[in-house]
């Protein structure tokens, strides 16, 4: 069975700081990987996805993620965060139609 | 276009009662999945339905059941509620022609007292 591990539970940073959230997965098959974001009071939204091809994928709002197969990782990055990036971020892997999520990382951006 | 809709938004039930949650997928989407999100954790897969057939089931007890209707809307039923069933229940729909993209609704917040 697949599983996802997110390294940080809560990250606090200032505006304009760089963000990197770690994600490792465990799955033996071909992976499809996702990052979802949940802004306060809103529903889960897809930030970006990796299915195949270029391991560096770009998503919405300036986010990007890098798939490193040898490390079973799919880390999320943003060079310069804004206050509006305050949210909970979830890494997920899909197999057999089931999305398996990590526990999530709460990101708080201070103005 | 309307996204995935769920009803009700909030629900308070007592232990031992039964609850039914409803989901309408995005127009044209034929597959619906249900997830449970307990506070402080990521969503956990409960069921997926496609064309009214159950396609997958997560590690949840038989108290949890679901069905999908001809219009592709879905219901999740939970019987004999326990305090631990308190959670946000999320519904997601999948576009035709793909099996690996899911779009989530706002969820139903269930509180069991």
């Amino acid at each position: 069975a697949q599983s996802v591990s997110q390294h940080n539970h809560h990250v606090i940073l200032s505006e304009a700081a760089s963000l990197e959230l770690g994600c490792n997965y465990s799955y033996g098959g071909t992976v499809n990987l996702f990052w979802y974001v949940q802004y306060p009071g809103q529903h889960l939204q897809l930030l970006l996805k990796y299915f195949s091809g270029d391991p560096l994928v770009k998503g919405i709002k300036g986010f990007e993620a890098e798939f490193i197969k040898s490390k079973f990782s799919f880390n999320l990055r943003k060079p310069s965060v804004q206050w509006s990036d305050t949210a909970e971020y979830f890494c997920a892997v899909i197999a057999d139609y089931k999305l398996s999520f990590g526990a999530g990382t709460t990101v708080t951006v201070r103005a | 276009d309307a996204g995935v809709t769920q009803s009700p938004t909030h629900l308070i039930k007592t232990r031992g009662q039964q609850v039914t949650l409803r989901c309408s997928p995005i127009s044209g989407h034929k597959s619906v999945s249900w997830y449970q999100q307990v506070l402080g954790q990521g969503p956990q897969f409960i069921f997926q339905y496609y064309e009214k057939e159950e396609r997958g089931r997560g590690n949840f007890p038989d108290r949890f059941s679901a069905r999908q209707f001809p219009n592709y809307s879905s219901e999740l039923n939970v019987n004999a509620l326990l305090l631990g069933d308190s959670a946000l229940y999320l519904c997601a729909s999948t576009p035709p022609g793909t099996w690996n993209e899911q779009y989530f609704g706002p969820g139903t917040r269930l509180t069991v007292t």
Side-chain angles (χ1 to χ4, degrees), chain B residues 1-112:
Chain B
D1 290 339
V4 176
T5 59
Q6 295 186 241
S7 63
T9 306
H10 296 92
L11 204 52
I12 299 174
K13 290 285 189 178
T14 304
R15 275 176 298 176
Q17 287 187 315
Q18 175 264 341
V19 68
T20 298
L21 311 180
R22 295 176 177 83
C23 170
S24 291
I26 294 170
S27 178
H29 291 195
K30 299 180 179 180
S31 177
V32 168
S33 301
W34 286 96
Y35 293 82
Q36 180 196 65
Q37 187 178 13
V38 173
L39 199 62
Q41 298 181 21
Q44 298 292 314
F45 173 78
I46 309 175
F47 286 110
Q48 187 182 74
Y49 276 77
Y50 176 71
E51 292 277 13
K52 296 170 284 180
E53 298 288 327
E54 182 183 300
R55 190 157 65 174
R57 184 187 182 109
N59 191 21
F60 280 81
D62 292 343
R63 299 185 296 108
F64 288 77
S65 63
R67 54 180 176 169
Q68 187 177 30
F69 299 98
N71 67 352
Y72 304 111
S73 67
S74 179
E75 287 183 349
L76 175 70
N77 295 284
V78 187
N79 294 322
L81 284 166
L82 303 174
L83 294 179
D85 295 330
S86 295
L88 181 67
Y89 288 85
L90 298 168
C91 176
S93 70
T94 301
T98 178
W99 60 272
N100 52 9
E101 293 191 35
Q102 297 190 13
Y103 295 87
F104 284 83
T108 293
R109 173 73 62 188
L110 172 65
T111 301
V112 182

Side-chain angles (χ1 to χ4, degrees), chain A residues 32 34 36 38 42-46 49 51 88 90 94-104, chain B residues 33 35 37 40-45 48 55 57-58 88 90 98-106:
Chain A
N32 289 176
F34 305 83
Y36 281 85
Q38 194 166 31
Q42 297 188 28
H43 59 276
L44 272 172
Q45 300 173 40
L46 181 65
K49 59 192 178 188
F51 292 163
E88 190 153 18
F90 295 94
I94 194 164
D96 298 329
Y97 315 112
K98 299 184 292 186
L99 267 174
S100 294
F101 287 86
Chain B
S33 301
Y35 293 82
Q37 187 178 13
Q41 298 181 21
Q44 298 292 314
F45 173 78
Q48 187 182 74
R55 190 157 65 174
R57 184 187 182 109
L88 181 67
L90 298 168
T98 178
W99 60 272
N100 52 9
E101 293 191 35
Q102 297 190 13
Y103 295 87
F104 284 83

Side-chain angles (χ1 to χ4, degrees), chain A residues 34-108:
Chain A
F34 305 83
W35 276 96
Y36 281 85
V37 61
Q38 194 166 31
Y39 297 104
Q42 297 188 28
H43 59 276
L44 272 172
Q45 300 173 40
L46 181 65
L47 257 184
L48 49 78
K49 59 192 178 188
Y50 171 79
F51 292 163
S52 63
D54 189 344
L56 186 62
V57 293
K58 295 190 183 300
I60 60 172
K61 304 186 180 186
F63 285 90
E64 63 180 30
E66 185 175 12
F67 169 59
I68 302 179
K69 187 175 180 179
S70 61
K71 295 185 178 180
F72 298 91
S73 70
F74 189 55
N75 292 354
L76 181 71
R77 298 193 290 253
K78 185 170 184 177
S80 177
V81 296
Q82 301 172 315
W83 176 82
S84 58
D85 292 322
T86 294
E88 190 153 18
Y89 293 80
F90 295 94
C91 182
V93 60
I94 194 164
D96 298 329
Y97 315 112
K98 299 184 292 186
L99 267 174
S100 294
F101 287 86
T105 298
T106 301
V107 173
T108 302

